[in-house]
Amino acid sequence: MIRLVALLIVLALPAKAEEVVLGLSKDAVAITATFDGSDILLFGAVKRESPIDLASDLEVIITIAGPTVPVTVRRKERRLGIWVNTDVVEIDAAPSFYAVATTAPLREILTDVEDLRYKISIPRAIRSVGAPMGVTDSENFTTALIRIRAGNDLYQVREGMVDLEESTLFSAAFRLPANLTEGDYNAQIYLTRNGIVVDEYETVIPVKKVGLERWLFNLAHEKPLIYGLMSLAIAIAAGWGASAIFTALRR
C-alpha cells in the first residue's frame, strides 16, 4: 500500500520542463604504459515537454571530477638561507582532477547561492573545514593548491567552451592529462536559467590501469616483497649492462 501511494505521488508530480540527454565519446579511459592523456567529448541534447522558453537564455555547465581525497598543503619560508616548512593545513577533501566548462562566464550564468548548493566552481568543490589555531589565512592554502594543480592541468576552467546550438544541442571537449589518478570520474551537466539550476545529470567515467601498468600496480600493493626484489634485480642488471657497454666502448 505504501509503495502504491508513493508511486501515485511521483506520477502526480509535474514533468520537468527541460531535461538532459547525454552521450560520451568514450565510456572509459585506460591507463597503459604509454598513456599520455586522453580526449573526451561530451555531447547531448535538451529534452523538452513544452516549447522553448524565450524569456531567458538557457546555459550549460559541464564538470568532470576525479576521486576526492584529503590533501596536506605546506607553506615554506626562507630562513637563514634555507627553505623550511612553517605552517601545515590539512584540506579535508579535494578532487584529484577537476574541469569545468561553460557556455558563458560562470559568474554570469550561476548565482553564488546555487554554486554553494551544487559546489560547481573549483573553490566550492574543495572542502576545507578548518585549520590549526596558529594559521589565520587558511584560504591561501586552498588558493595555492588550486594554483599548483592548475599548473599541472589537473584543474581546468574552460569558460565559453561549451557549444550550444539553438538552446538544444550541446557539446564540449575535455583533455585529461597523463598524470591522472585511477578511479571513477563523475561528469555532471547542469542546465541554468537566470543563474538558477533547472536540471542536472550525472554519469561516471571509469579511469583504470590496464595491461603492464595494472600488473605492476597489483604486484606492488599485493606482493611488495616480490616487487622490491624484482626492482632490485632490474636495477642491478641495468647497472651491469651499462658498465659492460662503457667498458667495451673504452676498448
Side-chain angles (χ1 to χ4, degrees), residues 115-182:
D115 190 17
L116 180 63
R117 177 183 178 186
Y118 291 96
K119 297 177 174 56
I120 295 174
S121 66
I122 293 178
R124 295 295 188 190
I126 298 173
R127 186 173 74 251
S128 183
V129 177
M133 293 294 294
V135 179
T136 58
D137 58 343
S138 59
E139 65 280 357
N140 289 339
F141 288 79
T142 301
T143 302
L145 175 66
I146 295 174
R147 183 180 67 252
I148 293 171
R149 291 193 168 178
N152 294 325
D153 288 333
L154 291 173
Y155 285 174
Q156 305 173 11
V157 178
R158 303 172 61 82
E159 293 181 322
M161 297 304 292
V162 177
D163 293 327
L164 180 61
E165 298 182 8
E166 299 181 356
S167 296
T168 301
L169 302 177
F170 63 86
S171 64
F174 291 86
R175 176 64 181 175
L176 304 183
N179 51 342
L180 287 180
T181 299
E182 186 180 25

Side-chain angles (χ1 to χ4, degrees), residues 3-236:
R3 292 183 178 180
L4 179 59
V5 173
L7 178 60
L8 292 174
I9 293 175
V10 171
L11 292 176
L13 292 175
K16 291 184 178 180
E18 295 168 314
E19 294 183 85
V20 174
V21 180
L22 181 68
L24 294 170
S25 61
K26 292 182 179 178
D27 293 330
V29 175
I31 300 178
T32 62
T34 58
F35 181 74
D36 61 352
S38 179
D39 294 313
I40 290 184
L41 176 66
L42 281 79
F43 55 91
V46 180
K47 179 182 177 182
R48 293 184 172 86
E49 299 294 337
S50 58
I52 298 177
D53 181 9
L54 300 178
S56 59
D57 292 333
L58 178 72
E59 305 290 351
V60 179
I61 303 172
I62 303 176
T63 64
I64 298 180
T68 301
V69 294
V71 179
T72 300
V73 181
R74 295 178 173 86
R75 173 157 53 199
K76 290 186 177 182
E77 293 183 0
R78 193 176 182 87
R79 295 182 179 178
L80 301 177
I82 60 174
W83 290 96
V84 296
N85 294 327
T86 54
D87 298 320
V88 178
V89 169
E90 183 79 15
I91 294 177
D92 302 89
S96 57
F97 173 86
Y98 195 84
V100 53
T102 65
T103 50
L106 187 60
R107 290 188 175 183
E108 296 180 7
I109 62 176
L110 186 71
T111 66
D112 290 337
V113 173
E114 291 292 89
D115 190 17
L116 180 63
R117 177 183 178 186
Y118 291 96
K119 297 177 174 56
I120 295 174
S121 66
I122 293 178
R124 295 295 188 190
I126 298 173
R127 186 173 74 251
S128 183
V129 177
M133 293 294 294
V135 179
T136 58
D137 58 343
S138 59
E139 65 280 357
N140 289 339
F141 288 79
T142 301
T143 302
L145 175 66
I146 295 174
R147 183 180 67 252
I148 293 171
R149 291 193 168 178
N152 294 325
D153 288 333
L154 291 173
Y155 285 174
Q156 305 173 11
V157 178
R158 303 172 61 82
E159 293 181 322
M161 297 304 292
V162 177
D163 293 327
L164 180 61
E165 298 182 8
E166 299 181 356
S167 296
T168 301
L169 302 177
F170 63 86
S171 64
F174 291 86
R175 176 64 181 175
L176 304 183
N179 51 342
L180 287 180
T181 299
E182 186 180 25
D184 289 335
Y185 283 59
N186 293 323
Q188 298 210 210
I189 296 88
Y190 302 90
L191 303 181
T192 70
R193 283 189 182 276
N194 298 321
I196 306 300
V197 175
V198 297
D199 188 48
E200 61 175 318
Y201 181 92
E202 180 178 0
T203 188
V204 175
I205 306 171
V207 176
K208 297 182 179 180
K209 295 182 176 70
V210 297
L212 179 61
E213 286 286 312
R214 165 57 59 184
W215 183 77
L216 290 174
F217 180 85
N218 290 340
L219 184 65
H221 288 79
E222 297 173 5
K223 300 179 180 179
L225 178 59
I226 296 177
Y227 178 81
L229 292 175
M230 185 182 70
S231 301
L232 180 61
I234 293 174
I236 293 173

